[in-house]
Amino acid sequence: MKKTFATIMLLLAVASGLFAADKFYADDPLLKEPSPRDAAKVKNRKLNDYYDLLENSFQKRGERNEKGVMIRARDVNTLDEPMDGAWYTHRHYWHAMTDEQLQLGAGGQNPPSQEGQWTIVSAKSEGVTPGFVIVDAKNDKYYVKFDPMKYPELATGAEMISARLFHALGYHVPDYYLIHFTPQKLVLGKDVVFHDAEGRKRDMTQSDLDQLLAKVPRAGDGSYRAIVSLQIQGKPVGPYKYFGVRGDDPNDIVPHEHRRELRGLDIFAAWLQHNDSRSINSLDTLVQENGVTYVRHHLMDFGSTLGSLSTWAKTARYGGEYYLDFKPAPKQIFTLGLAVPYWAHAQYPGYPAIGGFEAATFRPDEWVPDYPNAAFQNRLPDDDFWAAKQVMAFTNQQIRAIVKVAQFSDPRAEQYMAETLIARRDKIGKAFLGKVLPLDLFAVENGQLTFHDLAREHGLDVKGELHITWASFDNKTSQSTPVPGAADFRVPATQGGEVSYLAAHLWRGDDTAKAITVYLRSTGGPTEVVGIDRTW
Amino acid sequence: MNIHGRPTGRYRNLALFVFLASLGVFVLLPRLCRGQESRTQEIEKQRDEKAAHPNSDAPGKVEKALIYLEDGNIMERLTAGFHGWNLRLGGLVQGSGFALGPEYRRNPEWLGGSNFLLGAQVSTKLYQKYYTGWKMPRLANDHVSFEFNGVHRNYSQIDYFGPGPRSSKDTRTDYRLEDTAVDAALGVKPVRHTQFGASAGYLWVNIGPGTSGKFPSADQVFSPVESPGIDRQTNFLRFGPYAQIDYLDNPDGPAGGGLYTFEYTWYRDQKLNLHDFQRMDAEIQQYFGFFNKTRVLALRAKATLTDAERGNVVPFYMQSILGGSEDLRGFLPFRFYDNNSLVLNAEYRWHVMSILDMALFADGGKVFSRRGELNFSHLQGDGGIGFRFNYQGRQFMRLDIAGSHEGFRFWLKFNDIFVRRPVGTASAQPIY
């Protein structure tokens, strides 16, 4: 009997050694998504604005992080980062962009041609501010939007600034330009289909055009200021949702509520007061690369960011409560309104170009978009940290440079906008960086483990010194064996075969809950950082 | 098995085989089958599995219906109408029941933009209204306005409790008000927020028996001495000046600023030479918004004074009226009639959620026969609570619950409590 038992145990040991899943594969960490499968069969889908509001307000869609259930972001590599690809691209935080690059945004090299006229090929009259689609002399198509009559520079300024920031933060966004033109620059194309104020489709006339232009502010010299966006590359197939996956897209394998860049978008949206960060303001397009058609996911329409509501200035509620927020209602009802919500204390500067944007009452961890968002609600401290570190990467000078693209005519408005973004940035750093041990950008240089201590770099309170222990790490069994005597940042010598792993465990002061394990791999050549595990 | 329950040799081998087989099936096989050697392969395998089982993201029935409404611009068509034609809901006098009817609207851009209106409405109580209007609010570079209004109304059961502030709730009667009016107003806007003007019009009035059936007709209860004009009605030529200062922050839902209106109208009896009188209307609305206008104190004071020429009287159907959803909410509609009136309203409104505001309110007011009684004594009072339902910052419905010594009243209305009337003779009458 004993012999039999021993045989079984031996077999088990051999089997587990032979067949256990490696923690790290040879191609880890994957910095870029593997080449996509062909997704040419993906169909266009529509999303109704009101349905989206009701569905997200009254139903708990997607798989949620709830009490006792913690689902960490699933689209990340072993360095805990999303990969470059259809959703996201590592930009400013990892490869510091110059002021000029930040100002250029997603393109910056292809404004509408000044040669010849711009031909209007379609238009909309719905809403208070009109919009056109124009084709320029290069035959490029642009979407044109204006400011509301009472708030010159508000919506166009907000969209210019936010599009630059979202691009630098890694998202796919349209290529926006600010333009100034006189009515003579526009010419009405043939058979332009137009939805008039009564919702009827008919051919657009010059009178319609004149009436649309009469609804937007005009400068003293008779020119109009507008923002144009170059048509997004690829065939539009509708917006993405913030939960679930697109059923017909083979590359869309991680439920959106578990995507790091969608969870982290909540923090960026809070920074930029992008309460309109909902599905309707996203767009998927079918693009072709290397002969393969795949779906690329974009953010768009930033006219309701910062202090702008596209057609009006934001009121204080935006960011403070959901549109259909029943939670605060009983308190408001039974206190007869004497319990004033924190956001109602906001004070705005009164500049038309700024609208309702401020930093004094901004509470990053309580900020909410217009209605519940499954990905935003699934945020975990590591998602918060991922986003906050990127927000904090913008220096004061860089923020000022980006604000310049709004071309505010009032220098006080420009200064206020920059200072408000800086103050909100700092609040985000304070609120979220410390939710985990804020060390990042690990590398091995000259035999030392190096990293950025973001808490110290950004002047946050830190308690205690950093501690480190080292262990050799078995990639097959995930077993760690302490390396005796190794307690500083020098990488200990490794023993083992051709490929060996070390694990460095770091924490600060007495707070051992917030810790990081950094995995190093040595393959005979230079030692590289191959993985990061954060706990909190 | 032996008697101790231990496996015998043959069974021991069988158990070992079963164990190893299970190990193979449940532990090793999946790992062998996975066969991935890289992260790329792992991801590609997941993609393969997804590609093998594609799902369509077809919207459900509700979403499909909403998309249909959106694509067809159905809501725009319903609200903006079809070739100018629209269905108008509500808008008749209080107590009329549910009203609807066709309305034709045109907003041509010429003359700085003008609005033409033509409509007809009928209510569940068979109240009828036929109306037309042509407004040119922005003439002479927005410094001059002109408007013409014509209306015929046939309201079959307007309540009447008798004259004076001491009328009894128990003497409820009703009458038919049938009138036709044409008016024109010319306004000048010399500076921002301010307009002065003058207007003139003609009014034909007919009063008949009420049709409610639940209450006696007014002419059977009240004599011409108590209620002048109840037996014979007349036509009026009316004219007079007006002035208005309007610096409300948002006309659709004011939370700051003020609206001050003053009108003086001469009514000249064209048939009986019994009812020549002057009417003065003064109204102040003031709004104080605080905490980013999430709390608003809304105040209104409104006085109407009339002065009949020697030997003339103001007919009861042209007297000031108080009571109901727009002034004294704790009282029945049209509860008090007399030559003069004063009403004071105060509301404290607060934000509950984006679609709902609430309000605590108090109303005070009185009607009185002599102008010398214009003071704050003997006011009828009420108080209550209101729920204001908003869509995109605009109130579309209110539920007010008010109580007074005459009982509780519930008002479900689709207008603002401080209804904004057009200035000029067209609105200088008790039932507008």
Side-chain angles (χ1 to χ4, degrees):
Chain A
M1 182 63 197
K2 279 182 184 172
K3 194 176 169 186
T4 308
F5 180 74
T7 308
I8 291 170
M9 294 311 291
L10 182 66
L11 279 169
L12 274 175
V14 171
S16 63
L18 280 173
F19 301 113
D22 293 350
K23 181 172 174 71
F24 299 104
Y25 291 118
D27 57 349
D28 282 327
L30 271 190
L31 302 180
K32 204 175 165 193
E33 287 177 354
S35 298
R37 280 182 64 106
D38 190 81
K41 288 182 182 169
V42 166
K43 287 182 181 161
N44 183 36
R45 72 171 177 197
K46 287 196 168 186
L47 184 68
N48 180 266
D49 208 2
Y50 293 103
Y51 185 83
D52 196 49
L53 162 70
L54 297 174
E55 183 178 37
N56 285 287
S57 296
F58 296 110
Q59 293 184 39
K60 222 165 197 180
R61 303 311 304 263
E63 192 181 28
R64 299 304 181 97
N65 271 327
E66 289 169 321
K67 224 175 182 179
V69 182
M70 187 174 79
I71 307 165
R72 297 175 73 154
R74 287 182 180 166
D75 64 327
V76 292
N77 61 17
T78 51
L79 293 175
D80 205 28
E81 294 289 344
M83 293 164 272
D84 284 357
W87 291 86
Y88 188 79
T89 306
H90 290 84
R91 293 204 178 101
H92 182 54
Y93 175 76
W94 290 271
H95 321 287
M97 296 164 74
T98 64
D99 287 1
E100 193 189 356
Q101 287 170 327
L102 289 168
Q103 288 176 327
L104 287 175
Q109 308 289 349
N110 195 11
S113 169
Q114 289 304 316
E115 286 177 23
Q117 287 185 297
W118 297 334
T119 305
I120 295 174
V121 294
S122 71
K124 81 166 183 82
S125 67
E126 301 97 334
V128 180
T129 54
F132 309 132
V133 179
I134 57 167
V135 172
D136 71 353
K138 311 186 303 289
N139 213 26
D140 284 335
K141 199 185 251 190
Y142 296 85
Y143 295 84
V144 187
K145 290 190 286 186
F146 297 87
D147 287 304
M149 186 64 104
K150 286 192 174 179
Y151 295 92
E153 303 176 359
L154 176 70
T156 54
E159 191 140 23
M160 285 295 285
I161 294 168
S162 295
R164 265 64 186 171
L165 287 166
F166 277 114
H167 173 258
L169 288 166
Y171 295 91
H172 299 300
V173 300
D175 188 8
Y176 286 97
Y177 301 90
L178 205 56
I179 57 168
H180 301 266
F181 65 94
T182 57
Q184 293 73 36
K185 189 76 181 165
L186 296 174
V187 60
L188 199 53
K190 279 182 186 171
D191 305 324
V192 178
V193 178
F194 175 74
H195 284 97
D196 65 17
E198 294 175 353
R200 284 177 298 163
K201 259 187 189 179
R202 60 173 172 81
D203 287 349
M204 190 178 184
T205 65
Q206 184 62 39
S207 169
D208 294 324
L209 177 58
D210 295 341
Q211 285 178 36
L212 291 185
L213 286 174
K215 292 181 186 173
V216 300
R218 200 169 185 179
D221 62 358
S223 68
Y224 294 97
R225 168 185 160 124
I227 188 165
V228 296
S229 58
L230 187 61
Q231 186 179 29
I232 294 174
Q233 184 198 346
K235 179 187 165 196
V237 286
Y240 61 77
K241 292 187 177 186
Y242 283 86
F243 58 85
V245 294
R246 189 185 260 273
D248 54 358
D249 179 5
N251 302 305
D252 192 10
I253 53 174
V254 176
H256 299 174
E257 67 271 23
H258 300 317
R259 296 201 71 94
R260 165 65 54 78
E261 67 280 355
L262 294 188
R263 290 181 177 189
L265 178 62
D266 190 18
I267 308 295
F268 305 140
W271 182 31
L272 303 177
Q273 184 78 320
H274 187 15
N275 49 283
D276 208 17
S277 46
R278 52 202 173 117
S279 294
I280 207 78
N281 289 323
S282 70
L283 183 68
D284 289 348
T285 60
L286 281 177
V287 295
Q288 246 196 354
E289 259 180 29
N290 304 322
V292 177
T293 302
Y294 69 98
V295 178
R296 186 185 286 159
H297 313 273
H298 303 81
L299 292 179
M300 54 182 261
D301 278 349
F302 306 108
S304 287
T305 57
L306 307 177
S308 167
L309 206 56
S310 284
T311 56
W312 204 255
K314 276 200 178 103
T315 59
R317 178 189 67 79
Y318 289 95
E321 282 181 5
Y322 291 126
Y323 182 64
L324 295 173
D325 206 339
F326 295 93
K327 264 190 188 168
K331 190 175 174 186
Q332 290 302 312
I333 291 170
F334 294 115
T335 63
L336 305 179
L338 296 177
V340 180
Y342 76 91
W343 47 262
H345 294 273
Q347 291 185 329
Y348 303 116
Y351 304 129
I354 297 297
F357 192 51
E358 58 90 67
T361 64
F362 174 51
R363 294 185 185 175
D365 42 355
E366 292 182 41
W367 186 90
V368 291
D370 278 353
Y371 49 84
N373 177 310
F376 291 8
Q377 290 182 325
N378 264 356
R379 279 193 293 113
L380 291 171
D382 53 348
D383 303 310
D384 293 345
F385 172 74
W386 176 83
K389 72 185 182 187
Q390 291 191 72
V391 172
M392 296 303 289
F394 292 92
T395 65
N396 294 358
Q397 169 54 32
Q398 287 164 342
I399 288 173
R400 289 194 180 97
I402 290 171
V403 169
K404 279 198 180 300
V405 301
Q407 297 178 30
F408 291 129
S409 53
D410 185 345
R412 293 172 306 168
E414 181 181 310
Q415 189 184 352
Y416 177 87
M417 178 62 80
E419 283 170 3
T420 306
L421 283 168
I422 289 166
R424 289 172 76 101
R425 174 201 66 189
D426 293 344
K427 282 193 165 186
I428 281 175
K430 209 169 176 182
F432 298 120
L433 280 184
K435 284 193 169 185
V436 297
L437 179 59
L439 310 180
D440 204 39
L441 299 174
F442 289 92
V444 175
E445 289 173 17
N446 301 324
Q448 293 257 347
L449 180 67
T450 65
F451 52 85
H452 287 247
D453 186 342
L454 300 185
R456 289 193 190 281
E457 285 179 12
H458 297 304
L460 303 182
D461 283 344
V462 289
K463 286 179 185 166
E465 292 303 310
L466 285 170
H467 302 278
I468 185 168
T469 61
W470 290 91
S472 60
F473 178 75
D474 188 323
N475 190 38
K476 291 204 183 300
T477 63
S478 290
Q479 297 290 313
S480 294
T481 309
V483 177
D488 59 22
F489 297 107
R490 280 177 299 173
V491 179
T494 52
Q495 294 175 345
E498 288 177 3
V499 180
S500 59
Y501 290 86
L502 284 167
H505 191 67
L506 297 102
W507 71 99
R508 188 177 341 248
D510 300 328
D511 191 355
T512 53
K514 291 177 186 168
I516 300 175
T517 304
V518 182
Y519 298 94
L520 308 182
R521 178 169 56 199
S522 177
T523 53
T527 303
E528 60 172 341
V529 175
V530 70
I532 291 171
D533 278 345
R534 292 181 191 274
T535 57
W536 54 86
Chain B
M1 302 280 266
N2 64 16
I3 55 169
H4 302 292
R6 287 178 182 159
T8 60
R10 196 160 55 136
Y11 287 111
R12 206 163 48 219
N13 289 338
L14 182 62
L16 180 60
F17 173 77
V18 169
F19 178 82
L20 288 174
S22 305
L23 184 74
V25 170
F26 294 110
V27 180
L28 304 181
L29 193 59
R31 295 186 175 193
L32 284 169
C33 291
R34 193 192 301 167
Q36 286 135 18
E37 292 175 352
S38 71
R39 193 69 61 191
T40 303
Q41 284 178 331
E42 186 179 84
I43 292 170
E44 282 174 346
K45 185 164 190 308
Q46 290 175 45
R47 289 173 172 175
D48 289 345
E49 284 166 6
K50 176 118 188 264
H53 306 96
N55 289 322
S56 87
D57 288 332
K61 281 181 185 171
V62 176
E63 191 176 8
K64 255 186 191 169
L66 288 169
I67 288 171
Y68 171 78
L69 291 176
E70 187 180 359
D71 286 354
N73 292 300
I74 306 294
M75 294 311 290
E76 286 85 351
R77 285 176 178 225
L78 284 177
T79 53
F82 184 70
H83 291 282
W85 286 100
N86 207 329
L87 193 65
R88 177 156 186 205
L89 308 175
L92 291 192
V93 70
Q94 56 179 333
S96 65
F98 179 71
L100 85 160
E103 186 176 84
Y104 179 76
R105 285 197 298 245
R106 274 287 168 214
N107 302 311
E109 288 299 314
W110 42 278
L111 295 174
S114 61
N115 321 112
F116 177 75
L117 199 63
L118 179 71
Q121 278 181 292
V122 63
S123 77
T124 50
K125 289 187 180 175
L126 300 181
Y127 283 34
Q128 298 164 51
K129 184 177 179 181
Y130 308 92
Y131 56 95
T132 185
W134 183 29
K135 295 179 183 175
M136 287 164 278
R138 286 185 292 276
L139 295 169
N141 215 10
D142 206 14
H143 286 301
V144 175
S145 66
F146 176 80
E147 68 178 73
F148 166 82
N149 290 290
V151 63
H152 173 75
R153 304 176 304 172
N154 188 348
Y155 296 163
S156 57
Q157 40 189 285
I158 301 287
D159 284 344
Y160 184 56
F161 298 84
R166 290 180 195 80
S167 63
S168 168
K169 195 176 108 176
D170 300 327
T171 58
R172 184 171 178 178
T173 66
D174 65 347
Y175 65 94
R176 176 189 293 273
L177 171 68
E178 190 178 6
D179 64 8
T180 304
V182 287
D183 293 274
L186 182 69
V188 180
K189 291 179 265 186
V191 291
R192 203 174 160 217
H193 303 308
T194 307
Q195 71 163 313
F196 301 99
S199 62
Y202 201 89
L203 176 68
W204 295 263
V205 185
N206 179 44
I207 298 296
T211 62
S212 74
K214 282 166 68 182
F215 308 106
S217 181
D219 60 313
Q220 292 170 7
V221 176
F222 299 101
S223 69
V225 176
E226 291 170 294
S227 307
I230 203 163
D231 53 342
R232 287 191 299 161
Q233 293 81 46
T234 189
N235 304 329
F236 295 98
L237 176 69
R238 55 185 179 182
F239 50 89
Y242 64 83
Q244 188 172 64
I245 297 172
D246 177 357
Y247 66 105
L248 296 177
D249 60 347
N250 176 12
D252 295 321
L259 176 68
Y260 315 137
T261 309
F262 177 85
E263 292 179 63
Y264 198 92
T265 311
W266 280 268
Y267 276 82
R268 289 291 168 259
D269 185 339
Q270 300 297 299
K271 265 170 65 180
L272 305 174
N273 292 321
L274 290 172
H275 301 306
D276 283 352
F277 68 97
Q278 286 81 253
R279 173 185 165 112
M280 188 213 65
D281 292 281
E283 180 176 358
I284 295 173
Q285 292 182 21
Q286 193 68 52
Y287 299 85
F288 301 98
F290 42 104
F291 294 122
N292 269 299
K293 299 180 180 176
T294 57
R295 277 89 181 120
V296 178
L297 193 60
L299 305 171
R300 178 176 72 168
K302 186 179 172 186
T304 298
L305 304 177
T306 58
D307 181 25
E309 299 292 335
R310 187 179 294 272
N312 286 255
V313 289
V314 180
F316 90 98
Y317 53 83
M318 294 302 287
Q319 286 180 326
S320 284
I321 305 173
L322 287 186
S325 66
E326 290 161 18
D327 39 56
L328 295 180
R329 283 165 279 187
F331 296 86
L332 287 165
F334 312 110
R335 177 64 187 81
F336 302 104
Y337 284 64
D338 213 328
N339 289 338
N340 310 289
S341 68
L342 170 69
V343 65
L344 306 165
N345 306 97
E347 287 204 352
Y348 160 63
R349 302 168 181 169
W350 73 94
H351 164 98
V352 173
M353 54 190 293
S354 70
I355 58 166
L356 176 67
D357 286 353
M358 285 182 66
L360 284 177
F361 60 80
D363 306 320
K366 66 176 183 178
V367 294
F368 46 99
S369 60
R370 293 182 300 108
R371 284 181 296 165
E373 295 173 83
L374 177 63
N375 53 43
F376 299 120
S377 62
H378 301 105
L379 295 177
Q380 299 279 1
D382 66 49
I385 193 162
F387 299 85
R388 309 294 159 77
F389 299 91
N390 311 304
Y391 175 67
Q392 294 186 341
R394 282 185 180 188
Q395 178 195 303
F396 67 91
M397 187 172 75
R398 67 183 162 101
L399 172 66
D400 285 346
I401 304 162
S404 74
H405 67 87
E406 291 198 350
F408 284 91
R409 302 277 158 230
F410 294 81
W411 304 105
L412 184 65
K413 303 295 289 183
F414 296 89
N415 63 4
D416 195 304
I417 162 67
F418 302 157
V419 177
R420 187 188 174 118
R421 295 178 170 186
V423 284
T425 52
S427 64
Q429 61 190 66
I431 297 176
Y432 170 69

